[in-house]
Amino acid sequence: MILTLDMAVLLAAIIYFRIGRKGQFQSKANQWLTVSIVLVFGVLIAPTDFGQGIVKVLGDIVKNISASGSP
């Protein structure tokens, strides 16, 4: 049996555990590492159908908010 693990799923788990640690002080280097991991996760998930769906939903939300704000 071969076990495969998608890199995006692995990064999502790492992000969950890194951000889930509340109440602990983090160094600047540790914060930059978390930001870098989140950016790589975004790049990996963007071309997928799920990522494209998120982009479409967010675009619709932004369009509706900007349309409701204009007279």
Side-chain angles (χ1 to χ4, degrees), residues 9-59:
V9 174
L10 178 63
L11 285 176
I14 291 171
I15 291 167
Y16 175 78
F17 287 115
R18 288 187 64 83
I19 293 176
R21 295 183 298 156
K22 294 188 181 194
Q24 294 181 2
F25 293 106
Q26 293 184 359
S27 67
K28 279 284 194 194
N30 200 1
Q31 290 174 350
W32 278 111
L33 178 62
T34 303
V35 168
S36 301
I37 291 171
V38 170
L39 287 174
V40 169
F41 176 71
V43 168
L44 287 175
I45 201 168
T48 64
D49 290 337
F50 177 69
Q52 293 298 316
I54 291 172
V55 169
K56 183 180 180 314
V57 168
L58 289 176

